[in-house]
Amino acid sequence: MSATGSTLVRPRLLGRATVNAVVAISVLYTLLPVLWLVLAAAKNRDALFGSALLSLTDFSFGQNLSDLFAMDGGLYGRWYVNSLLYAVLGAAVGALVSVACGYAFDKYRFRHKEKLFGLVLAAVMVPQTVLALPLYLMASEAGLVNTFWAVFVPVLFNPFGVYLGRIFSQGYVPDEVLEAARIDGAGELTLYARVALRMLGPGLVTVFLFQLTAIWNNFFLPMVMLSDQDLYPVSLGLYAWNSSASVSPEYYPVVVMGSLLAVVPLILAFVLLQRFWRSGLTAGAVK
């Protein structure tokens, strides 16, 4: 090999090694907290605060799990069901609303269409914490504070989901297909429900996953809206237990175990729906 060829190969190998090192560090940065959570959830309280967290002794996974669902009269189970209702049902309805709005912005003409869509894009940049107080005042006027609806209704409307809905509509739903269906006598609602919505399936799943993650991890809105612990989601409930752990250390193991169980629905959702999610992201990226 010539000196020139050797000089070219060395920077290429050096660059590949650098990329691999950065990727390895990123993977470790991502997985180490998860590994710690799994190990900590399987340890008793003494091992949790000692130096034996990485050892293969003092396992009490079953006991911690039993204590978790027995603590405070089984309150964690109620929080888990609440989170599933808020997140799964809210994400499903919210995804349908967002995709329908995006479809309307894409396929129909109406006055000030682009200006209204500009407001949607502007709303994407508004932090959710800024909206918490106005939403609380509106819920208070409607008499919905400290109810299921105070948390459920606000999560149904997502500006970013509307933006994605329009992108997916542009990429998945050809205008020619809609015109052919109109010629066959299909009404607009029938056209959307039977033709467009089927084509928008991957986009609907993508918006659903984004919504599911955002609602499941939602913390500030429930904290502002709710005072009844029976209505808490998992995130707010674990925060309340963790605040009590400084006075009652028996809460620490159940908080760690509860945190581990809290990530399971998100992992399952991404694993089961990743095929649709990947195709949806690919279509959005190509568009």
Side-chain angles (χ1 to χ4, degrees):
M1 181 181 293
S2 65
T4 303
S6 177
T7 304
L8 291 175
V9 170
R10 287 179 182 175
R12 189 176 302 172
L13 293 176
L14 182 61
R16 184 179 301 175
T18 302
V19 171
N20 290 337
V22 172
V23 171
I25 293 173
S26 301
V27 170
L28 287 176
Y29 179 80
T30 303
L31 294 182
L32 283 178
V34 179
L35 177 61
W36 183 93
L37 185 62
V38 172
L39 293 175
K43 296 292 186 175
N44 57 36
R45 190 177 66 188
D46 295 334
L48 186 61
F49 290 100
S51 59
L53 185 61
L54 299 178
S55 69
L56 300 179
T57 59
D58 299 321
F59 282 107
S60 58
F61 187 91
Q63 184 61 44
N64 290 343
L65 189 63
S66 176
D67 292 343
L68 173 65
F69 286 98
M71 184 68 71
D72 292 346
L75 202 54
Y76 182 83
R78 191 177 189 90
W79 293 341
Y80 213 87
V81 172
N82 291 341
S83 287
L84 290 175
L85 288 175
Y86 292 137
V88 178
L89 185 59
V93 177
L96 289 172
V97 171
S98 297
V99 170
C101 291
Y103 172 83
F105 272 114
D106 176 42
K107 301 304 180 185
Y108 296 109
R109 295 181 180 179
F110 47 87
R111 291 186 61 187
H112 308 302
K113 169 182 170 179
E114 295 304 326
K115 293 181 180 178
L116 292 173
F117 191 69
L119 289 177
V120 172
L121 295 179
V124 173
M125 297 181 287
V126 178
Q128 293 300 311
T129 52
V130 174
L131 300 177
L133 181 57
L135 288 173
Y136 174 81
L137 296 176
M138 294 171 63
S140 179
E141 289 292 329
L144 297 178
V145 172
N146 201 30
T147 66
F148 169 84
W149 305 106
V151 178
F152 181 75
V153 173
V155 302
L156 301 181
F157 306 99
N158 180 12
F160 184 64
V162 175
Y163 166 74
L164 288 180
R166 183 174 185 177
I167 297 298
F168 289 129
S169 178
Q170 292 172 347
Y172 276 108
V173 186
D175 294 335
E176 296 79 6
V177 175
L178 300 181
E179 290 300 326
R182 291 190 180 102
I183 293 174
D184 291 339
E188 294 302 320
L189 289 178
T190 302
L191 186 66
Y192 175 71
R194 296 188 177 182
V195 179
L197 194 57
R198 295 183 179 181
M199 297 179 180
L200 289 169
L204 190 66
V205 172
T206 303
V207 177
F208 170 81
L209 287 174
F210 278 115
Q211 284 275 79
L212 179 70
T213 304
I215 300 171
W216 188 269
N217 294 326
N218 194 8
F219 171 78
F220 195 69
L221 181 64
M223 185 177 67
V224 171
M225 292 291 189
L226 303 176
S227 59
D228 185 359
Q229 286 196 352
D230 288 342
L231 297 174
Y232 281 5
V234 168
S235 58
L236 185 57
L238 290 177
Y239 171 78
W241 274 359
N242 190 58
S243 300
S244 302
S246 58
V247 178
S248 304
E250 65 270 14
Y251 280 106
Y252 280 118
V254 297
V255 167
V256 175
M257 176 61 73
S259 300
L260 178 62
L261 295 186
V263 303
V264 172
L266 297 181
I267 295 174
L268 289 178
F270 275 90
V271 169
L272 295 176
L273 301 175
Q274 63 176 334
R275 178 168 61 90
F276 301 99
W277 179 55
R278 286 177 180 176
S279 60
L281 289 181
T282 302
V286 172
K287 187 64 183 178

